[in-house]
Amino acid sequence: MRTIGLIGGMSFESSAVYYRLVNEMVRERLGGLASAEVLMHSVNFEEIVSMQKAGDWDGAARRLGDVALKLQVGGADCVLICTNTMHLIAEQVAARISVPLIHIIDETAASLKAAGRRRPLLLATRYTMEHGFYADRMKSLGVEIAVPEAEDRTIVHDIIFSELCAGKVLDSSREKLMRIIEREMAKGADSIILGCTEICLILDPNNLPLPGFDTTTIHAKAAIEFSLGADRKREAA
C-alpha cells in the first residue's frame, strides 16, 4: 500500500470527508480492520481565502507547493489537493514535487466520459466556475461544461463559503440549489458535477434529477486506486 498525501483544510469540513472516504474504501477493498496509509497537512483556510480574494494565486501556489513538498519528504507517494478551486494552481504545485499529483479535474472528466456524459452542469465556487481553468481543462479532455447564470453563480458561491465551509447545511439552501439545477436542465445539461468538495454535504449525487458526479468521492477513489496499485488506465472514449 502506497502512502496518500492530502493537502487539506480548504475547508476542514470536506477534508474530514476525504479522510473518511479513503479509509472506508481501503476497508471495503481489503476487509477486516484495514485502513489507508495517509499523511495530511491541513492548512489555515482563512489564509488561503485571503489569497483567493486578493487574487494572489502565485502566493497560494508557493504556499501549497511548500506543503506538497513537505508531504513528499514525509513519505507521501502521491499528493492530492483536497479542493477543486485550488486546482487553479495545480500545475505549479505539481512542479514542486516528483511524486504524482492526482488531479481532480482529470479524474472527474474520466468518470463523466465513462458514463457517456458530455454536457455537465458545474456547481462550484465562483473561482472555479468563472476563472476558466476548469472549463479549459475539461474541454481538453473532451467534456464541455455548463455553469449557472451570474445570479445563480453568486447563490452557489455564497452557500459554499458562508454555510458549508462553516459547517452549516440548510434545507432552504438545498432547495435553492435544486431550483438552479432545474433551470439548467431546461437548457440541456445532462449531468451535474458537484464541483466543490463541500457540496456533497448538502446534495446527494444519487438523489438528483440528473446523474451526479461527486468530485470528492471521485478524487478519493483515484487515490485509493493509486495506493493499492490498481490499474488506473482509462479506455479512450
Side-chain angles (χ1 to χ4, degrees):
M1 185 188 303
R2 289 182 279 188
T3 300
I4 300 166
L6 302 177
I7 305 178
M10 300 171 287
S11 67
F12 75 77
E13 298 287 346
S14 65
S15 299
V17 177
Y18 268 92
Y19 184 76
R20 175 177 56 79
L21 285 173
V22 296
N23 281 291
E24 286 179 348
M25 289 177 184
V26 166
R27 184 172 59 192
E28 181 180 346
R29 298 277 188 96
L30 301 183
L33 298 177
S35 57
E37 294 278 354
V38 178
L39 292 174
M40 178 183 284
H41 184 124
S42 187
V43 301
N44 177 2
F45 194 31
E46 185 65 36
E47 175 190 357
I48 303 301
V49 169
S50 295
M51 292 177 178
Q52 291 174 344
K53 289 179 177 178
D56 185 12
W57 300 105
D58 289 340
R62 288 191 296 272
R63 178 74 173 95
L64 296 194
D66 288 345
V67 172
L69 185 57
K70 287 179 181 178
L71 287 170
Q72 178 179 320
V73 171
D77 296 302
C78 68
V79 170
L80 282 71
I81 303 173
C82 298
T83 164
N84 283 271
T85 294
M86 299 312 290
H87 277 72
L88 190 156
I89 57 169
E91 291 183 8
Q92 296 98 306
V93 174
R96 296 285 304 279
I97 55 179
S98 58
V99 299
L101 186 145
I102 298 178
H103 202 294
I104 200 168
I105 301 176
D106 295 0
E107 297 298 334
T108 302
S111 294
L112 286 159
K113 292 174 71 176
R117 301 293 163 173
R118 292 295 187 273
R119 185 63 173 167
L121 169 65
L122 174 65
L123 298 178
T125 68
R126 181 179 291 114
Y127 309 112
T128 303
M129 292 187 286
E130 297 180 357
H131 270 249
F133 74 97
Y134 207 100
D136 290 346
R137 194 170 184 105
M138 277 284 182
K139 187 174 182 179
S140 74
L141 297 167
V143 179
E144 294 275 355
I145 67 167
V147 298
E149 297 294 335
E151 183 177 349
D152 286 342
R153 292 198 299 270
T154 297
I155 291 171
V156 177
H157 183 88
D158 289 347
I159 289 171
I160 292 167
F161 275 97
S162 299
E163 298 172 17
L164 300 180
C165 289
K168 300 176 183 177
V169 180
L170 305 180
D171 289 340
S172 57
S173 293
R174 183 180 296 107
E175 292 169 1
K176 291 177 183 177
L177 293 173
M178 293 300 290
R179 287 195 291 270
I180 291 170
I181 290 170
E182 290 169 0
R183 285 193 284 273
E184 296 302 322
M185 281 177 60
K187 298 177 185 177
D190 69 2
S191 51
I192 302 161
I193 302 173
L194 305 187
C196 170
T197 53
E198 285 83 17
I199 293 184
C200 61
L201 300 173
I202 194 168
L203 292 180
D204 180 351
N206 298 314
N207 191 27
L208 297 172
L210 290 171
F213 293 80
D214 173 24
T215 56
T216 309
T217 299
I218 291 168
H219 207 196
K221 182 180 179 182
I224 291 307
E225 290 174 350
F226 177 89
S227 175
L228 298 182
D231 183 0
R232 299 177 62 248
K233 292 182 180 179
R234 312 286 187 177
E235 292 185 3

